[in-house]
Amino acid sequence: MSESALQIKDLSVHYGGIQAVRSINISLQPGEQGTLIGANGAGKSSTVRAICGLQPYSGEIFWQGQSIKGLHPNELVQKGIVLVPEGRGIFTRMTVLENLQMGAWHRRDRTHVRHHIAQLMEQFPRLAERKQQLAGLLSGGEQQLLAIARALLSNPKLLILDEPSMGLAPIMVERIFEVIHSLRTTGITLLLIEQNARLALQATDHAWVMDSGTIPYQGRSDALLNDDRIQQIYLGELPI
Ligand code: ATP
């Protein structure tokens, strides 16, 4: 098997006396789409925050074979590790276009950035129509699209989406998952954090189920989708 893109070894996260993540292991291959699913408070965001340099931890996290422990979040972005945080983190008092430009803050190739923005405007016509509007005036779904488009402008190698469907109307959830699907052709390695376990399992290759800081189940997403225990516990389906 080829070298992992992302490898998390014995990761633990503490908040004072509370242990939110308990010695978990995750490994994603280059270009693979993975998902971390589980209920509220399972430890998903804590795991993501550790990967992105936003949270101290014990254990090791390797990116393309090298430890990234202790690196600043900006250094991690420069290595291609880009987070779309829960709540989207867009700049509501800046325009759509300015938000997109912010995504390219570390890129020197200004001509390529302009082309990239034009290409994203084609891919996301809703953003093109509203490019001079303040981002705070967009709907929740449009803000999520903007957050993803802005992350793509960072040229991510590992894109982490934390709860992208949260609070969105069903039609926008569908659109967000179409976008996730379209990322398959880009070679970007994806880690999707989701409470909507069914959609996440349908969209990805591999899944880790988090529960109280541990990973009791993991495997191919399609296998977990058809697993009786997963269906009963996490997909809300009663045995027949
Ligand atoms: P959610 O979907 O609600 O964000 P999650 O699976 O992402 O849930 P975390 O946010 O990682 O879970 O939280 C895991 C545990 O750590 C929870 O018990 C939570 O209360 C606790 N926790 C998270 N952040 C902090 C913090 N800053 N201080 C103290 N405890 C925290």
Side-chain angles (χ1 to χ4, degrees), residues 5-236:
L6 177 73
Q7 191 168 25
I8 297 177
K9 278 191 172 172
D10 296 326
L11 174 74
S12 292
V13 174
H14 291 84
Y15 300 103
I18 299 170
Q19 187 168 3
V21 179
R22 298 169 179 269
S23 198
I24 65 165
N25 293 287
I26 287 176
S27 170
L28 264 177
Q29 300 302 308
E32 194 177 25
Q33 296 202 319
T35 185
L36 197 52
I37 56 177
N40 255 338
K44 306 181 298 296
S45 292
S46 300
T47 301
V48 161
R49 289 172 54 76
I51 299 169
C52 296
L54 298 165
Q55 175 66 49
Y57 56 88
S58 58
E60 279 294 345
I61 302 179
F62 298 95
W63 170 242
Q64 297 182 323
Q66 291 189 330
S67 171
I68 52 171
K69 197 168 194 168
L71 294 187
H72 189 273
N74 288 351
E75 292 174 287
L76 293 170
V77 171
Q78 283 169 339
K79 284 185 177 291
I81 299 176
V82 178
L83 169 69
V84 177
E86 193 176 331
R88 302 153 200 148
I90 61 162
F91 303 107
T92 53
R93 300 171 90 165
M94 293 170 79
T95 66
V96 167
L97 185 58
E98 286 164 346
N99 266 275
L100 290 174
Q101 287 162 340
M102 292 295 282
W105 63 267
H106 63 292
R107 289 176 61 177
R108 297 279 165 265
D109 50 340
R110 302 322 295 179
T111 309
H112 287 126
V113 169
R114 272 198 299 279
H115 286 143
H116 199 172
I117 290 179
Q119 179 215 322
L120 286 166
M121 290 290 184
E122 271 180 37
Q123 191 183 346
F124 300 99
R126 276 171 186 263
L127 299 183
E129 288 159 19
R130 292 162 177 73
K131 68 178 177 187
Q132 301 300 350
Q133 281 184 19
L134 292 183
L137 298 176
L138 300 181
S139 72
E142 289 162 351
Q143 290 188 8
Q144 187 64 58
L145 289 177
L146 175 59
I148 294 173
R150 188 180 63 183
L152 292 174
L153 267 163
S154 304
N155 270 344
K157 295 191 179 105
L158 171 64
L159 179 62
I160 304 176
L161 304 179
D162 194 353
E163 305 273 8
S165 74
M166 179 129 79
L168 300 187
I171 182 90
M172 284 314 290
V173 173
E174 212 174 286
R175 176 74 187 108
I176 297 297
F177 273 86
E178 275 171 22
V179 171
I180 290 170
H181 186 75
S182 72
L183 294 175
R184 281 196 176 276
T185 54
T186 62
I188 296 170
T189 307
L190 181 87
L191 184 59
L192 170 67
I193 315 304
E194 259 294 338
Q195 278 190 39
N196 190 329
R198 176 176 302 282
L199 282 178
L201 290 174
Q202 285 168 344
T204 54
D205 306 307
H206 202 102
W208 293 266
V209 181
M210 261 193 116
D211 199 335
S212 306
T214 66
I215 297 185
Y217 304 103
Q218 62 138 324
R220 302 284 313 165
S221 299
D222 50 3
L224 292 188
L225 200 53
N226 293 309
D227 184 303
D228 287 346
R229 290 164 307 174
I230 301 296
Q231 288 187 357
Q232 286 168 36
I233 306 172
Y234 300 100
L235 303 178

